Amino acid sequence: MDQQYIDKVLAGDRDSFRYFLQKYQDMVFSVAMSIVKNESLAEEVAQDAFVKCYHKLDTFNQQSKFSSWLYRIVVNTAFMQLRKIKIEVLDFQSDYDKEVIDESDLTLLEEEERSQMINEALCLLPANESLALRLFYLEEESIKEVSIITGWTDANTRVILHRGRKRMYAILKELMNKANVSHGK
């Protein structure tokens, strides 16, 4: 399906590019966020990546999946943005809702807290580890695809995933301890 829209865009149908925006916007933002760790900056990176994708679409050589090619643009754009502004990763502190009305609200709150805790942990990881974990586990890309997207070797990808998992475990453990203390458990 991607190829049909690539052909349409290359033939001059600019409106067909909306297909890529709709299909990949969430993933592009997610990958950008895992690297830059800032919502507004991730939105800027996503926008820049889509603009680059549009202008460079004629260079897509179809040796890899379109999504891998696009993710590579996002990764490069995000790291360029980091170098350009040299941001520091900030520790994000979570504000938890203390009021629970019924059990279904409690379950929803627990799911939200768990999701928030995972996102917070991803923000605390180094950018390369956060990116690798997000691509491999959340986007369900293979080791080979992660390597293509990032430009790392398969062996380096495996090492980064291993380190990321270990660090993620330690961060989540610490965050859970803090959450338990703040909730009086």
Side-chain angles (χ1 to χ4, degrees):
M1 188 66 124
D2 287 350
Q3 188 56 51
Q4 291 173 351
Y5 283 94
I6 290 169
D7 293 340
K8 286 180 179 183
V9 173
L10 292 177
D13 181 3
R14 296 187 332 201
D15 289 337
S16 290
F17 194 76
R18 288 183 193 176
Y19 163 82
F20 298 109
L21 294 171
Q22 292 169 346
K23 182 174 180 180
Y24 294 107
Q25 68 184 357
D26 291 339
M27 184 289 311
V28 166
F29 176 80
S30 178
V31 169
M33 185 68 182
S34 70
I35 296 170
V36 298
K37 320 264 191 229
N38 175 294
E39 241 179 88
S40 62
L41 196 53
E43 288 172 1
E44 187 177 325
V45 166
Q47 184 177 9
D48 289 349
F50 276 120
V51 168
K52 288 177 184 177
C53 173
Y54 178 80
H55 289 293
K56 300 284 186 181
L57 195 56
D58 62 335
T59 67
F60 174 60
N61 61 18
Q62 301 173 13
Q63 290 182 349
S64 62
K65 295 189 313 188
F66 174 80
S67 60
S68 298
W69 181 76
L70 174 60
Y71 298 165
R72 182 65 187 255
I73 291 171
V74 175
V75 168
N76 290 340
T77 303
F79 279 117
M80 269 195 320
Q81 186 76 318
L82 280 180
R83 281 190 295 273
K84 186 163 69 173
I85 60 173
K86 297 182 180 178
I87 63 170
E88 300 262 334
V89 177
L90 301 174
D91 288 345
F92 293 99
Q93 295 185 357
S94 304
D95 294 326
Y96 293 101
D97 220 71
K98 304 239 191 258
E99 249 178 76
V100 178
I101 298 171
D102 62 29
E103 238 176 90
S104 65
D105 287 340
L106 180 59
T107 303
L108 181 61
L109 181 62
E110 288 171 352
E111 289 173 14
E112 288 174 4
E113 285 180 343
R114 192 169 27 252
S115 177
Q116 187 173 3
M117 197 174 291
I118 289 169
N119 283 323
E120 186 175 349
L122 284 169
C123 285
L124 295 172
L125 287 172
N128 63 339
E129 292 173 9
S130 177
L131 173 63
L133 291 172
R134 188 174 299 276
L135 288 172
F136 189 74
Y137 289 105
L138 301 179
E139 300 298 330
E140 298 179 358
E141 296 290 348
S142 67
I143 296 281
K144 184 159 189 64
E145 286 298 316
V146 173
S147 297
I148 290 169
I149 291 166
T150 59
W152 304 327
T153 65
D154 286 358
N156 196 22
T157 300
R158 291 177 197 279
V159 168
I160 292 168
L161 277 168
H162 177 73
R163 288 181 183 155
R165 282 190 293 262
K166 284 178 69 173
R167 198 180 319 249
M168 179 83 157
Y169 175 78
I171 290 170
L172 284 172
K173 191 173 176 183
E174 184 178 323
L175 290 173
M176 286 173 41
N177 287 338
K178 285 181 183 176
N180 287 339
V181 168
S182 71
H183 285 115
K185 293 181 181 174

